[in-house]
Amino acid sequence: DGEGNLYGTTGDGGVYGYGTVFELKANGIAWTESVLYSFGIALQTGLYPVGSIVFDRAGNLYGMTNYGGGTNCDGGCGIVFQLTPNSSGQWTENLLHGFSGGVDGGVPYAGLIIDQSGNLYGTTGFGGPANLGAVFKLAPLHGGHWKQTTIYSFEGGDGTVPFASLVVDSSGNLYGTTTSGGTYENGSVF
């Protein structure tokens, strides 16, 4: 953030044992850790956060979990969440999208990116018509609602199981990698 603090996720631990979002605050030469949110209050709110998190202009945090949310996958297919701070320093989780494991994808492994308009982009390790992974966009709507759109679904020859966060260029093109599939079955850059 603007003060030099670092933010991240843990895939385990926290109050309920299902992962956390944390802040590392610079304190001279030492760092102080604060847990902002512990996952596991309910399956619907997501379990095991993955990847990096991003801020919007209002100071909200966004990220993903690879379990919880939808019920079509064993343990849930993962979610996209928003953490909103209140005046007392507590953070409230809002579920933006629960993956179904279908066309919208499921089981994300990486973090999100955010564009200038506040749209979120990410990948899922499974789902899409061929169940080989998908690239998605979440667009904010009025009233705090979000619209999920599957931008691309992997088919195998183009790669499978995207595992890292996307990168966006100044023209709005998205880039990423897959862990398998592609011409030689060893992954691809797209």
Side-chain angles (χ1 to χ4, degrees), residues 39-124:
F39 290 90
I41 294 171
L43 179 65
Q44 294 78 15
T45 63
L47 307 170
Y48 308 115
V50 293
S52 58
I53 52 178
V54 293
F55 276 101
D56 67 11
R57 291 181 185 146
N60 301 305
L61 291 170
Y62 299 87
M64 293 194 286
T65 68
N66 63 6
Y67 288 101
T71 58
N72 292 342
C73 304
D74 185 25
C77 300
I79 67 163
V80 178
F81 64 86
Q82 174 192 55
L83 294 178
T84 304
N86 64 26
S87 59
S88 64
Q90 301 296 312
W91 293 76
T92 302
E93 181 190 12
N94 300 305
L95 173 69
L96 303 184
H97 182 74
F99 294 102
S100 71
V103 174
D104 68 330
V107 192
Y109 293 115
L112 296 167
I113 61 172
I114 190 168
D115 68 14
Q116 294 296 327
S117 299
N119 298 306
L120 301 171
Y121 297 87
T123 61
T124 63

Side-chain angles (χ1 to χ4, degrees), residues 62 82 96 117-120 137-149:
Y62 299 87
Q82 174 192 55
L96 303 184
S117 299
N119 298 306
L120 301 171
K137 172 184 176 180
L138 274 174
L141 304 174
H142 296 292
H145 299 286
W146 292 74
K147 179 182 183 201
Q148 190 275 349
T149 304

Side-chain angles (χ1 to χ4, degrees), residues 10 15 21 33 50 58 64 69 86 110 123 127 139 141 144 148 154 159-160 168 171 190:
T10 64
V15 174
V21 173
E33 179 196 19
V50 293
M64 293 194 286
N86 64 26
T123 61
L141 304 174
Q148 190 275 349
F154 292 94
T160 65
V168 63
S171 298
F190 62 89

